[in-house]
């Protein structure tokens, strides 16, 4: 089991550019989460998918953020246009579960995004 | 609202001593309480979890206790070692939902 795989590990971009983060969940897991981590705000849940369907995107900061999960083995988080305040570590996590959060989350290694 | 409070924010102990980190949660319906360890520059990793039908769980040097009446749970690390140095996060499920709300983290430093 390779675990949750995220790419790229690091991304440096200029303000206004489009950024796409990618995630491959653990095979067999049916829940996928995107988190953002900053010193000021800690770990924030951005969006949650269950069986490839977005269930709650209330944590997405604004319309500049969008996420997709076209199939069970792939998800993307896109920021367009990016801003310096988007600089953070973005984690993807997966688990096997339904509507109840009682299964362990397995995190990917994260993408460190820097927007200059 | 949905909230998990964690303290202390930093904790420094001598190698071999015990460390205790405490969390309180707001939602009485919470039923799952995991703890994650995050080393510098790495991903959070689950170290232990407990469900609401259990009051205590132990795994070698790590134990977690849960007091549902008071709505708090604690992580206990005994015989601390330098490799225990990391940031520890508690979390709680919210109202039978998919959401795990994380505490703000405790930076543990174990001095050799």
């Amino acid at each position: 089991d390779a675990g949750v795989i995220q790419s790229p590990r690091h991304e440096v971009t200029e303000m206004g550019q489009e950024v796409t983060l990618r995630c491959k969940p653990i095979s067999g897991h049916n829940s996928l989460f995107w988190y953002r981590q900053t010193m000021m705000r800690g770990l924030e849940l951005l969006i949650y998918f269950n069986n490839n369907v977005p269930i709650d995107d209330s944590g997405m900061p604004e319309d500049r953020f969008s996420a997709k999960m076209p199939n069970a083995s792939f998800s993307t988080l896109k920021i367009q246009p990016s801003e310096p305040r988007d600089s953070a570590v973005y984690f993807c996590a997966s688990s096997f579960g339904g509507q109840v959060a009682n299964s362990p989350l397995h995190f990917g290694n994260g993408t460190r995004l820097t927007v200059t | 609202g949905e909230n998990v409070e964690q303290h202390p924010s930093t904790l420094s102990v001598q190698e071999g001593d015990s460390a205790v980190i405490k969390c309180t949660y707001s939602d009485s319906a919470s039923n799952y309480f995991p703890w994650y360890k995050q080393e510098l520059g790495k991903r959070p990793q689950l170290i232990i979890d407990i469900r609401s039908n259990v009051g205590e769980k132990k795994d070698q040097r790590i134990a977690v206790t849960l007091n549902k009446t008071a709505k708090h749970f604690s992580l206990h690390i005994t015989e601390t070692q330098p490799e225990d140095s990391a940031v520890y996060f508690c979390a709680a499920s919210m109202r039978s939902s998919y959401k795990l709300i994380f505490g703000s983290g405790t930076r543990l430093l174990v001095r050799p």
Side-chain angles (χ1 to χ4, degrees), chain A residues 8-25:
Chain A
R9 288 298 309 276
H10 302 275
E11 177 78 37
V12 180
T13 191
E14 292 183 349
M15 182 174 62
Q17 296 299 306
E18 177 180 297
V19 175
T20 299
L21 312 181
R22 298 172 175 80
C23 176
K24 176 179 168 57

Side-chain angles (χ1 to χ4, degrees), chain B:
Chain B
E2 301 172 339
N3 189 40
V4 175
E5 294 188 359
Q6 181 173 350
H7 56 93
S9 57
T10 59
L11 179 60
S12 180
V13 300
Q14 194 71 37
E15 181 178 0
D17 288 349
S18 295
V20 181
I21 302 170
K22 299 181 180 180
C23 289
T24 59
Y25 58 97
S26 58
D27 186 353
S28 58
S30 296
N31 59 8
Y32 177 60
F33 308 91
W35 286 87
Y36 286 82
K37 175 184 180 182
Q38 186 176 25
E39 297 177 357
L40 188 62
K42 297 192 176 180
R43 59 192 170 97
Q45 290 191 282
L46 179 73
I47 55 172
I48 194 167
D49 58 8
I50 192 169
R51 290 177 171 79
S52 59
N53 58 344
V54 175
E56 183 174 358
K57 184 176 179 180
K58 190 173 182 179
D59 183 3
Q60 299 182 351
R61 296 185 297 108
I62 294 173
V64 58
T65 59
L66 171 65
N67 183 328
K68 287 215 72 180
T69 302
K71 291 191 288 186
H72 68 69
F73 56 113
S74 300
L75 178 72
H76 304 253
I77 306 175
T78 59
E79 301 173 28
T80 54
Q81 301 168 3
E83 51 265 38
D84 294 330
S85 296
V87 178
Y88 291 81
F89 292 94
C90 64
S93 63
M94 289 294 151
R95 196 154 293 279
S96 298
S97 77
Y98 56 87
K99 279 186 177 181
L100 272 181
I101 302 298
F102 283 83
S104 55
T106 296
R107 185 173 300 278
L108 174 64
L109 174 64
V110 180
R111 305 186 305 274

Side-chain angles (χ1 to χ4, degrees), chain A residues 10 58 67 70 75-76 87 111:
Chain A
H10 302 275
S58 60
S75 177
T76 59
S87 298
T111 294

